[in-house]
Amino acid sequence: MTNIRHTHHTAVLAATVLLACLLLAVGCGRTGGPRENLLRINAGHALREQPQTTCAEDEKRHLRLQETGTMPALNRTAVLVARGNVLVPSTTWYWEGTPAALFTRTLENETAVMPYYDISTHPVPRRQLDGVLHTTITAFEVVADTPYTVRGAVRLELWTPDETRRAAITELRAEKSITRMEADRIAGAASEVLQNLAGQTRAWLETLALPALPQQIKGTR
């Protein structure tokens, strides 16, 4: 009986040691999951040169820039990869902020100096405003089909100071092709897309301001 118990204990011990060795071997061979890459965005120049064409300070239009909104699926830092009609969040590529936050920062830099507008992201008394600009990111993704492309879109709405009526609306789009699906190429293309959208936003506002904002904006003061 003693020999049987001893043989049983030896077998159990050997099996335990073998299992431990197998687990150790598997653990040593693991890579720790996919490598994550944080994609930094160039938001443009914080200070722009004073435009040659301008107007008197008391003739400028004062706008409040609302914090950029976004579609629910875009309210994340994971890069969305489009394959056909399917958007899949990447497990390896991440923006340094949500698309809405990145566009807000880029737009602030783009509109820091404008000939016809003073634009503020801070609360402004309604009596001092000529309008409120709402921006919503409706697309910001990497298209995995050939040619590979980073594309984005934003909807702009210009509202009256009391935000009871919409005076103007438009949707802008931009895209940039890349030769390979690599982190640095995606980040560079995304920076260009956001700066393109911000530049188009600036141009749209300047068009509305020539010679002045639509009269219906001022009509609700």
Side-chain angles (χ1 to χ4, degrees):
M1 180 67 69
T2 302
N3 290 337
I4 293 176
R5 289 178 179 176
H6 178 73
T7 302
H8 175 72
H9 290 161
T10 302
V12 171
L13 179 60
T16 303
V17 171
L18 177 60
L19 179 60
C21 290
L22 288 174
L23 291 175
L24 180 61
V26 172
C28 292
R30 294 183 63 183
T31 60
R35 179 181 178 183
E36 296 182 1
N37 293 275
L38 186 64
L39 308 187
R40 299 192 64 183
I41 297 298
N42 179 6
H45 301 292
L47 295 176
R48 297 175 59 92
E49 293 183 1
Q50 183 71 30
Q52 294 181 353
T53 302
T54 186
C55 62
E57 197 64 30
D58 59 352
E59 295 178 355
K60 280 191 172 185
R61 304 303 179 187
H62 299 273
L63 296 184
R64 183 175 75 246
L65 175 63
Q66 292 285 75
E67 182 178 355
T68 302
T70 189
M71 307 294 284
L74 297 176
N75 191 25
R76 64 179 73 199
T77 59
V79 175
L80 289 178
V81 180
R83 292 182 173 88
N85 293 325
V86 180
L87 286 176
V88 180
S90 173
T91 58
T92 57
W93 297 325
Y94 294 86
W95 307 118
E96 58 179 331
T98 64
L102 296 174
F103 179 72
T104 296
R105 189 179 70 185
T106 306
L107 184 59
E108 287 176 345
N109 290 342
E110 179 68 27
T111 59
V113 177
M114 293 186 66
Y116 302 101
Y117 288 102
D118 278 329
I119 298 180
S120 175
T121 57
H122 305 294
V124 178
R126 185 186 302 174
R127 65 181 181 278
Q128 298 178 14
L129 285 175
D130 291 286
V132 179
L133 179 64
H134 290 253
T135 59
T136 304
I137 294 292
T138 57
F140 196 62
E141 61 210 31
V142 181
V143 182
D145 301 330
T146 304
Y148 305 128
T149 306
V150 178
R151 65 187 179 192
V154 60
R155 184 173 67 247
L156 309 177
E157 299 180 12
L158 187 59
W159 287 77
T160 54
D162 57 5
E163 299 187 72
T164 59
R165 285 193 294 152
R166 189 173 60 198
I169 182 173
T170 191
E171 183 152 353
L172 308 174
R173 299 181 180 276
E175 62 180 40
K176 176 70 176 180
S177 297
I178 54 178
T179 56
R180 290 191 295 274
M181 294 279 281
E182 297 176 347
D184 58 342
R185 296 178 187 273
I186 294 172
S191 297
E192 291 190 39
V193 167
L194 288 173
Q195 290 174 28
N196 188 324
L197 291 173
Q200 291 187 64
T201 300
R202 176 188 172 103
W204 182 70
L205 289 173
E206 290 176 341
T207 299
L208 291 179
L210 297 175
L213 284 174
Q215 291 298 315
Q216 62 264 35
I217 290 184
K218 299 186 295 182
T220 61
R221 284 191 175 186

